[in-house]
Amino acid sequence: MEDKVSVIVPIYNVDQWLDKCLKSIIRQQYSNLEIILVDDGSTDNSPLIIEKYADLDERIIVLRKENGGLSDSRNLGLEKSDGDFILFVDGDDWLENNAVSTLMEVQKSAKVDLVLFPYKRIYATQTILAELMDEEEKYLDGNDWLRLYRRMIGPIGKEVGQLEKLDRLSTAWGKLYRRTILMHDFKHYEENYPEDLFFNVQNLENVKSAFYTEKTFYCYNKMNDKSVTKGNKLIYRYDKSNSLRDLMDKKFKNNPELYAAYENRALLRTFAFSLNVVESELDNESKKQIIHRISTDVSKYVDISNMELDLRNMPLPWRLFFFLLISKKINMLYSYISLVSFIKIKVRS
């Protein structure tokens, strides 16, 4: 009999996209599939959609809980699942046809504990492929796997010039996990952000071999990307990213290479946070105050004098950003980030 695959879907107020998500899962051709839908206290029509699909497909298990966040939902799904392999799909994303069969064929052939696959960023007017590696397929063990694990934690050398790739490896989705390697739960949003990274750091550190394939892509829905505009959520995420750094400090204090890689990640994320601040719904004065705080926090959370980040490996626009950030030239920094944001939006549209 085929190994069982548990697909865990955390759901919170995604009724606009949930039909597409669930159709993509129930239409998978893989025979031994368990579909766990975790309703995290939705207040829209998501519960009705969940019930509709549960009535149609006996493979679906419905779990309901009070709102507790993404990590809480995934942890409950893991606790109640009994699959040999685990696949996470967010409730507003979806899978390509035959994704599960494709991933399990790769796993069976390569005999690995982890299969990684890339994703598509799907916008209203375009789709952008986000590959994880230069090769279309690669078996990863020994130094190859250790190098990929380090890349997930943070960039070094020329990698720091590829800010757009910073979070590609850290997601919980885009991975087929053998259940036995998942020894640690997701830590709550209160403790760290992004939540997926530390989950993978803990659970993947003892993986002996993995396989990367581009035979299927995860479909990452960027049309539902609304939370970045909320100023209060933005500040909260920033605070929790600093909490994550404290966790990483303890984890890697005796490993200079991994510690340096995360130092680089922490500094590079200030660029993304700063862009999000400028694009938020906050008034200009509030935006400048947050930018000032980010600039001040850099020396608190990143040892600039001892960091491995080499600005020479960055494109000129990013070098200018970090020069202004470290120099605490707040008004110039705010104007510069606003210009970068304007250009980015124009290019995307």
Side-chain angles (χ1 to χ4, degrees):
M1 186 176 181
E2 292 180 317
D3 288 323
K4 180 182 283 190
V5 176
S6 296
V7 181
I8 298 173
V9 187
I11 297 166
Y12 180 69
N13 288 355
V14 288
D15 56 1
Q16 182 181 358
W17 307 102
L18 191 53
D19 265 310
K20 188 172 184 66
C21 172
L22 298 184
K23 282 179 182 176
S24 79
I25 297 172
I26 67 173
R27 290 175 179 173
Q28 296 294 313
Q29 296 299 307
Y30 191 77
S31 62
N32 197 5
L33 198 64
E34 175 184 70
I35 305 168
I36 299 182
L37 309 182
V38 186
D39 180 12
D40 190 30
S42 295
T43 57
D44 63 358
N45 288 322
S46 295
L48 298 177
I49 298 170
I50 291 170
E51 286 302 322
K52 179 182 76 172
Y53 281 91
D55 289 341
L56 293 173
D57 196 318
E58 62 182 11
R59 297 173 299 174
I60 291 177
I61 298 170
V62 178
L63 305 175
R64 301 195 185 280
K65 56 185 284 298
E66 293 183 1
N67 181 248
L70 179 63
S71 290
D72 198 42
S73 297
R74 286 173 171 169
N75 286 339
L76 180 60
L78 276 172
E79 178 187 340
K80 300 299 182 182
S81 66
D82 66 354
D84 303 291
F85 290 86
I86 303 293
L87 191 66
F88 294 104
V89 179
D90 286 353
D92 53 352
D93 299 335
W94 54 92
L95 297 175
E96 291 188 325
N97 293 337
N98 296 321
V100 178
S101 293
T102 299
L103 295 170
M104 287 304 295
E105 286 170 7
V106 169
Q107 188 284 323
K108 186 175 181 180
S109 174
K111 297 180 175 59
V112 291
D113 293 330
L114 178 73
V115 180
L116 305 99
F117 58 109
Y119 61 95
K120 301 174 180 178
R121 290 192 187 98
I122 301 178
Y123 298 90
T125 59
Q126 65 176 321
T127 296
I128 300 174
L129 301 184
E131 295 94 347
L132 309 185
M133 303 187 68
D134 294 332
E135 301 90 344
E136 292 184 2
E137 289 192 334
K138 187 168 185 178
Y139 178 80
L140 299 152
D141 66 350
N143 288 334
D144 285 336
W145 167 250
L146 292 175
R147 192 176 301 111
L148 192 74
Y149 180 78
R150 194 270 309 147
R151 274 183 53 207
M152 180 184 71
I153 292 164
I156 58 174
K158 293 182 179 180
E159 295 166 1
V160 301
Q162 301 173 321
L163 181 61
E164 72 280 0
K165 295 183 179 181
L166 186 61
D167 290 321
R168 288 187 183 181
L169 287 167
S170 63
T171 60
W173 43 256
K175 296 176 179 63
L176 178 75
Y177 302 87
R178 187 188 294 275
R179 184 185 189 85
T180 52
I181 70 171
L182 299 181
M183 305 297 290
H184 302 273
D185 287 346
F186 288 90
K187 283 190 173 293
H188 196 269
Y189 192 39
E190 295 280 349
E191 299 177 72
N192 73 123
Y193 177 81
E195 296 155 280
D196 296 9
L197 177 58
F198 199 65
F199 173 82
N200 282 320
V201 165
Q202 288 188 297
N203 286 304
L204 303 187
E205 65 177 334
N206 295 316
V207 165
K208 301 301 181 185
S209 62
F211 198 93
Y212 172 68
T213 181
E214 293 182 2
K215 289 183 177 179
T216 189
F217 282 71
Y218 182 88
C219 298
Y220 177 32
N221 178 12
K222 296 293 286 183
M223 294 177 285
N224 194 33
D225 196 17
K226 300 174 183 176
S227 60
V228 73
T229 66
K230 302 295 183 182
N232 58 337
K233 287 188 176 181
L234 186 60
I235 297 168
Y236 189 76
R237 286 183 175 184
Y238 175 71
D239 287 338
K240 299 314 167 187
S241 73
N242 289 337
S243 298
L244 172 61
R245 189 187 183 283
D246 293 337
L247 291 172
M248 294 295 236
D249 278 354
K250 294 174 183 176
K251 181 76 175 174
F252 298 130
K253 62 183 179 182
N254 296 320
N255 189 319
E257 181 185 18
L258 298 184
Y259 184 87
Y262 187 74
E263 287 273 283
N264 291 345
R265 166 186 276 272
L267 189 57
L268 286 171
R269 280 195 67 83
T270 62
F271 185 79
F273 271 118
S274 299
L275 273 174
N276 288 343
V277 168
V278 168
E279 294 170 4
S280 75
E281 61 187 13
L282 295 169
D283 61 81
N284 287 340
E285 189 57 37
S286 296
K287 291 177 183 179
K288 288 183 181 179
Q289 289 176 5
I290 298 173
I291 295 293
H292 182 270
R293 180 183 166 191
I294 291 173
S295 177
T296 302
D297 283 351
V298 166
S299 59
K300 184 191 307 181
Y301 286 102
V302 179
D303 184 359
I304 297 172
S305 64
N306 195 38
M307 67 185 183
E308 296 294 326
L309 189 67
D310 187 347
L311 297 180
R312 291 173 299 178
N313 288 314
M314 289 187 171
L316 181 59
W318 296 354
R319 276 186 273 167
L320 181 55
F321 166 81
F322 285 110
F323 170 76
L324 294 173
L325 182 75
I326 294 168
S327 303
K328 296 183 173 62
K329 299 180 183 297
I330 303 305
N331 287 330
M332 292 179 62
L333 180 60
Y334 178 74
S335 298
Y336 179 70
I337 298 168
S338 299
L339 176 62
V340 172
S341 174
F342 175 78
I343 294 171
K344 185 187 78 168
I345 292 170
K346 281 293 185 183
V347 169
R348 184 167 293 165
S349 61

